[in-house]
Structure formats: C-alpha cells, structure tokens
Amino acid sequence: MEGVDHLADERKKAEFNVEAMKIVWAGSQHNLEVSNRISKLVADDPAFRKDDRTMLPRKELFKNTLRKAAYAWKRINELRLSEEEASKLRFYVDETAYTDLHWGMFIPAIKGQGTDEQQRKWLPLAYKMQIIGCYAQTELGHGSNVQGLETTATFDPHTDEFVIHSPTLTSSKWWPGGLGKVSTHAVTYARLIIDGKDHGVHGFIVQLRSLEDHRPLPGITVGDIGMKFGNGAYNTMDNGVLRFDHVRIPRNQMLMKVSQVTREGKYKQSDVPRQLVYGTMVYVRQRIVADASCYLSRAVCIATRYSAVRRQFGSQNGGPETQVIDYKTQQSRLFPLLASAYAFRFVGEWLEWLYTDVMQRLQANDFSTLPEAHACTAGLKSLTTSVTADGIEECRKLCGGHGYLCTSGLPELFAVYVPACTYEGDNIVLLLQVARFLMKTVSQIGTGKQPVGTIAYMGRIEHLMQCRCNVQRGFAELSADLVEAAVAHCQLIVVSKFIEKLQQDIPGEGVKQQLEALCGIYYLSLLHKHQGDFLATSYLTPKQSALANDQLRALYSKVRPNAIALVDAFNYSDHFLSSILGRYDGNVYPKLYEAAWKDPLNESVVPDGYHEYVRPLLKQQLHTARL
Ligand SMILES: CCCCCCCC/C=C\CCCCCC(=O)SCCNC(=O)CCNC(=O)[C@H](O)C(C)(C)COP(=O)(O)OP(=O)(O)OC[C@H]1O[C@@H](n2cnc3c(N)ncnc32)[C@H](O)[C@@H]1OP(=O)(O)O
Ligand SMILES: Cc1cc2nc3c(=O)[nH]c(=O)nc-3n(C[C@H](O)[C@H](O)[C@H](O)COP(=O)(O)OP(=O)(O)OC[C@H]3O[C@@H](n4cnc5c(N)ncnc54)[C@H](O)[C@@H]3O)c2cc1C
C-alpha cells in the first residue's frame, strides 16, 4: 500500500546509527549535506526524468540527453552552483553524456599537459562551455597500444603550424565520447613529426567544428560510430569517428608542459618523465575507482532491499514464506558484494589522496612515486571495475526473474557500467602494467633498494633474493600467472586500506563494529575464493581454512539484521536508483504491476500486427481443424 514502509521491521533491527554511517559513506558531514541537497534538486525536477530512457529510439534519446545537459547547465548557472555542486548535479542526473568527457578529460588534459599560457587561453573558454571538448586518443587500429597510434602531427616551419593527418583507415580516431555529434574541439593524440623524425605521441588541441554553425571544419570528417550495447545505456553518448585530411593548427596548440617545439622546429623534452603525457588517464582511473563503489552500491542496494521483500518457500503451518535474504546461499552471494562496495569506497578515498600527493610532488619535480601511482591507479581501476561489472550482473541474478525487467534498474545499470572494464585501459592490459611494476620491484630486491609504500611487503620475499631467478624469464610466457599476482596485489591494497580506515576515529553507535564485520567479510570471502592458492603454498592449513569459512558464515549472520540499514546508508533516492525492486518502501508488487500497464505495448488490447500476421495463422488453423 502507498505510504507504508514494507521494510520497517528490517530497519528496526539495525544495531548501529544509520545517520552516522551515511556520513562515513559520504566522506564528511559537508559531503552528505551537499549530496542530500543536490540529489533532491534533481529528483524533484521532472526535467530530469529517466524512466523512459530504455524505450526511446536513439535519435530521440540523444536529443533528450542534449536537452538535459543544457537544462542542467542552465540550473547550475541560475543557482550559482560551485564546481563541487555542479559535479554532484551531473552525477545525480545519472546520464552519460558529452559533458562527462568535457569536464572529465578535455579540461584535465589541458590542466595537466598545457603550459600556463595555454591554460590561460583555453580553460576559461572550456569552463564557460564556450567550447566543448573531447579526448581523442583511441583509433580504429589502436587503443591499448598508445605508442602505436598512427595520426600524425607534422611541423611546418614555413608557417609555424602542425599539419594533423589521418594517413590510414586504422588511424581514424574511434570511440572518443562527445566526438560524434557535439564537441567543437578535441585534445587529439598524434605522432609528432619534425623534419622527418618521429618523436612519439603528443597531445594537440584541434578545433573540429565551426562555433557559428557547428559544421565540421575543412579537412575534418566526423560522425557517430553507431549503436552500442543495450537500450538507452551508453547510447546517450555520441562516441565518434574522426579523420583529418591535412588539417593545419598553430604551433602553440601542441600541449607543451611535458615537451616543446620551438619556432625553429627544435624538439625540447622537459626533464620530466615522458609518461606524464599519460597523466589524464591516471587521473580518470583514480576517479573510476571511486565511481565503482557508487555503481556497485546501487546494485547491492536494489538486490538487498528486494531480497528482504521477496519470500519464497519455507512456509510453516500456513505462516509467511522465508525471506530469500535469510538463505545462506543468498547471503554468500550478496554480502561479499555489500562489503566490496564499502571497501572500494575507502580505497577510492585513499587513491584520491595518493593521486593528489603525486601531483604535489610533480610540482616539486619529485617523480619518485609516479611508478607506484601508475601501478595503483591501473591495478585498482582494473580490479574494482571487474568486480563491479560482475557484481551488478550477480545482483540481477539475486533478484530472480524480476531482476531482468528494465523497471528493476539492473539491466541498464549493467549496460551503462560494463564498458568501464575496457575504457580508460583494458583491464588485462592494465594488470600487465602492475605485473611489470611488481617484477621490476622483485628485480631490485637485494640491490639495497628497499620496497616502500604498497609494495613494502615484497621486501620480505627472502627466497626470491636467494634464488636470484631471472625475473625477466618469459614474462609473456608467465603473463597469465603474473596477472593473477597483480590482482592479488591490488586486493591486498584494498584490504589494507579498509583496515587503515578502521584505525581512524569513526563516530556513531555501532558504526565501527559494522565496518569491522564488513571488512572481515571482504577479506574472508577473498580467502575462501582463493583458498586453493593459500593451501597450495602452505600459507594456510586445511584446519585454518575451515576456521576461516566458519568465521565468514558467522559474519553473514552478524550482518544480516543490519543489511537494510547498511544499504540505506548509501543515501540513494528512489529517483536515483530508478528501480521498483529497490524502492525505499519495499512496495514492489503493486508498483511492478502498475508499471507493466504503462508499457507502450499495452496501449492497445489487440497488438499491432495481429490482423496481418496472427489472425491468418489462427484462421488457417481453424480451417485445418475443420477438415
Ligand atoms: C564512469 C566515470 C567515472 C568518472 C570519470 C569521469 C571522466 C570520464 C568520463 C567518462 C568515462 C569514459 C572515459 C574513457 C576514456 C578513454 O578510454 S581514454 C583512452 C584510454 N586509453 C588507455 O587507457 C590506453 C591504455 N594503454 C596505456 O596506458 C599504455 O599504452 C600502456 C601503459 C599500456 C603502455 O604504454 P607504453 O608507453 O607502451 O609504456 P610501456 O612500455 O608499457 O611502459 C614504459 C614505462 O612507462 C610506465 N608507464 C606507462 N604508463 C604510465 C602512466 N600512465 N603513468 C606513469 N608511468 C607509466 C611503465 O610503467 C613503464 O615504466 P618502467 O619502464 O619503469 O617499467
Ligand atoms: C564506452 C567506451 C568509451 C570510450 N571513450 C573513449 C574516449 O573518450 N577517448 C578515447 O580515446 N578512447 C575511448 N575509448 C576507447 C578505449 O579507451 C579503448 O577501447 C581501450 O583502451 C581498449 O583498447 P582497445 O579497444 O584497443 O582494446 P585491445 O587492446 O584491442 O583489446 C583486445 C584484447 O586484446 C588484449 N590485449 C591487448 N594488448 C595485450 C597485451 N599486450 N597482452 C595481452 N593481451 C592484450 C586485451 O586484453 C583484450 O582482451 C572508449 C571505449 C569504450 C568502450
């Protein structure tokens, strides 16, 4: 019934202060206040309706996204929202759009790789959205292998310009978000050619479309690459294709913080690592880790609330059937994901600190932690997106048949999220970077260089020092095993940061105890999943492994009465969750039934096509039956 909280009894079971946990999840009282205010602003505005997305044809869907982005920008300016509040508003609008890449990559690329003069010129235009930018790196033929990119930027000393060109079909830029129909400019990655010499990949600001009539400029061929996975989902984004036919740009539009080209055509490499040209990717990877906890927590919130509402089997003497959340199988699938959502939240907070620390060190020309920052951002982006994508799908399955309905919110959540395993770096390619970092660390053990930070534990690998085995032995041959080692390394970081979080002062009755239980579930479920490795290496005895499994089950029982309160602490509105199964009030069945009749297919009792295609069959059947 309307207005009744069908989960009230569950909420009464909570053994901790939910409001205090909301602050832990939000990161601070201030963050919680801003989230509450902006979330309500979006949820209460019908212009931000999103329950129709999966039913709109693509052109209508895309125009609707442009409308929402323009309206959001209007509200941001009308309300004079800060950058933090504006970012929150785009988050709660919850629709992938060209603005993601404008704010999330185009501007960071100029800030990270542009000189002060270039920043002064381009950032004000971008902040006012007088230009709209994208990040054009990936090509039809190369994405992972950045050094294999083919687009060229040839310096012309006669005109003090670069000539940007797509020499082959495979050099066509392919995938950049916002490129297909909207962006006026791109940070484009191309091979710098001076006097016939190839200096490798660098970033260039290139205007793509007229600011007068939005038509592509001379030499520019640009469009959308077509429909992607799922209805709605990432099809609100215009991922594009772009080709250059000898497009000329001024020399000062090469991003020159990391390296420069003088008027005379002399190439100068600053005394900074060339990998800083990859800096924007490092920035986005650390943001994607924080984002993983948001997506995973949304799916877990839906599946947990529905698991408390859904009853199946177990009725005693005509009494109510058993809540499926009480089945140990449901708990063993759901609670590790609940624990992972919290774990990723905290490792995301730490990674943001690490990234900020590295950026401050770079200011002082201290590059000592850049390799660790690369390994951590690459590895944690890989780990958290893989677990989150698989976790959203598991949450769909945890909801049975109703999880497959669009009104559950889970199919679209999965379709929007799953490319995160690929963009900003294919997850395996990134894990290989971590493996390379680990092997380099091992090779340095015994040379006096003690590992520090997230690899400090490797300093204790005595046996490797004794065997002095050839650490470069068959990297390619052992890469699958090394990827597993890289995953384990990243999981250790997540566990370590969860434990470090628990060592902080955490106010609120019962809050720390709940987080301790979730931390236990996180690492014991990993122990259970990988117990073969621990047993094979004698790190665990069979008895210890059995004890760990017993403790894991005991923790499930400890979390069970708090499950609903733990997902309430995510503080997601029904609008943001956009899920009938995940409604705060648990009023699922009436709302599912109500929603079914709103489907366009039910606008007519007899479906279009009946008279052309069904009735003739039936009549034919009738005729045959009479014979
Ligand atoms: C869901 C949204 C969340 C919020 C985000 C908001 C904004 C985002 C909006 C929307 C989301 C969608 C965005 C998607 C955008 C994209 O996909 S952009 C394109 C992304 N492309 C990639 O990630 C390419 C992946 N490939 C690479 O990074 C590199 O090719 C490579 C690292 C795999 C190899 O590079 P290479 O130059 O060949 O290096 P190596 O020879 O392997 O290594 C040489 C040394 O350099 C070190 N290194 C490599 N990369 C970095 C780095 N980034 N930083 C620092 N150091 C690096 C490497 O460790 C080697 O060091 P050693 O020699 O010491 O071993
Ligand atoms: C939704 C979406 C949005 C995107 N947005 C942007 C954007 O805005 N800007 C942009 O520039 N790009 C963007 N991209 C492109 C994205 O960054 C690339 O697709 C991604 O980096 C993966 O590269 P790839 O496609 O070349 O994969 P590939 O590297 O071709 O991967 C194919 C397979 O090869 C394997 N593989 C590759 N190299 C190795 C190796 N050395 N060892 C072992 N296995 C290997 C991979 O693991 C994978 O299994 C986007 C992509 C998507 C899906």
Side-chain angles (χ1 to χ4, degrees), residues 260-278:
Q260 299 81 37
V261 175
T262 67
R263 175 65 190 85
E264 299 69 35
K266 185 170 170 37
Y267 179 69
K268 293 169 70 179
Q269 173 81 32
S270 305
D271 55 353
V272 297
R274 73 165 174 86
Q275 286 82 11
L276 287 184
V277 77
Y278 295 152

Side-chain angles (χ1 to χ4, degrees), residues 391-458:
I392 296 170
E393 168 59 2
E394 186 63 24
C395 286
R396 181 192 66 77
K397 290 187 279 190
L398 281 159
C399 295
H402 304 340
Y404 195 61
L405 283 168
C406 284
T407 52
S408 77
L410 290 163
E412 191 184 23
L413 194 67
F414 178 78
V416 161
Y417 189 77
V418 71
C421 298
T422 305
Y423 63 52
E424 218 54 72
D426 166 84
N427 279 354
I428 294 301
V429 168
L430 294 183
L431 286 172
L432 287 167
Q433 287 290 304
V434 180
R436 173 180 178 145
F437 173 66
L438 295 177
M439 296 301 273
K440 186 169 184 179
T441 302
V442 169
S443 68
Q444 290 169 344
I445 291 172
T447 64
K449 185 176 180 188
Q450 275 308 309
V452 294
T454 55
I455 47 173
Y457 70 93
M458 297 181 77

Side-chain angles (χ1 to χ4, degrees), residues 357-411:
D357 179 67
V358 163
M359 296 313 287
Q360 287 166 350
R361 289 167 181 264
L362 293 185
Q363 297 295 329
N365 277 345
D366 170 3
F367 311 114
S368 59
T369 58
L370 191 60
E372 180 178 36
H374 167 48
C376 287
T377 49
L380 290 170
K381 179 271 179 189
S382 178
L383 173 67
T384 57
T385 54
S386 293
V387 169
T388 297
D390 294 346
I392 296 170
E393 168 59 2
E394 186 63 24
C395 286
R396 181 192 66 77
K397 290 187 279 190
L398 281 159
C399 295
H402 304 340
Y404 195 61
L405 283 168
C406 284
T407 52
S408 77
L410 290 163

